[in-house]
Amino acid sequence: EAEVAQSPRYKITEKSQAVAFWCDPISGHATLYWYRQILGQGPELLVQFQDESVVDDSQLPKDRFSAERLKGVDSTLKIQPAELGDSAMYLCASSSAGASSGQQFFGPGTRLTVL
Amino acid sequence: AQSVSQHNHHVILSEAASLELGCNYSYGGTVNLFWYVQYPGQHLQLLLKYFSGDPLVKGIKGFEAEFIKSKFSFNLRKPSVQWSDTAEYFCAVNARDSGYALNFGKGTSLLVTP
């Protein structure tokens, strides 16, 4: 069964350092989402891509966060500089177009700890 | 804007007890509704979903949920829980006009004791 891949699974960094997370969606899925899940809360959308275009990045803290999906396949989420409050699980999800586009498939996430 | 409210943040049940987790949403248009589960150390998995049709939907592992449009609710149920159901449960909604991005509730932590 196809899965969404994410790496690294865990990342520990110091405050003010740069970090990057990678996501490879299920093959053929045009829509890719990045969510952030703070401990004890539900995931919250950071950015949504349709192919290589950003559809919604209204909740992305653009002063420090950036996201790209250059060829419309895999995606990278970057934080520079990292802050203590960025400690969270970063989840990537993908979905296909069409009638089933309401359903998303999630990767295992990257757990970020900022010291 | 959509919002999702889960009524119980922590639930403790004994094995074989019945489960009902409440979920209400606010949104004026047509929505899709989901329950996701996150077992300890694992990633989010879809339990069940409602897009249209029969408002009583059945999911994996004996879970079911009922969509009551008039109450904006989508409560999750299971007649008899098992220890292996210990997990975090998230209700979520999405809609076409928000690009199908999921809006999650804060989650309910379920602990099933032997």
Side-chain angles (χ1 to χ4, degrees), chain B residues 78-90:
Chain B
K78 185 171 184 178
S80 176
V81 294
Q82 301 172 328
W83 175 80
S84 58
D85 293 324
T86 294
E88 191 89 14
Y89 292 81
F90 294 95

Side-chain angles (χ1 to χ4, degrees), chain A residues 20-38:
Chain A
F21 314 133
W22 177 79
C23 171
D24 191 13
I26 292 172
S27 178
H29 280 193
T31 311
L32 185 149
Y33 307 82
W34 283 100
Y35 293 87
R36 177 170 60 183
Q37 185 178 16
I38 296 171

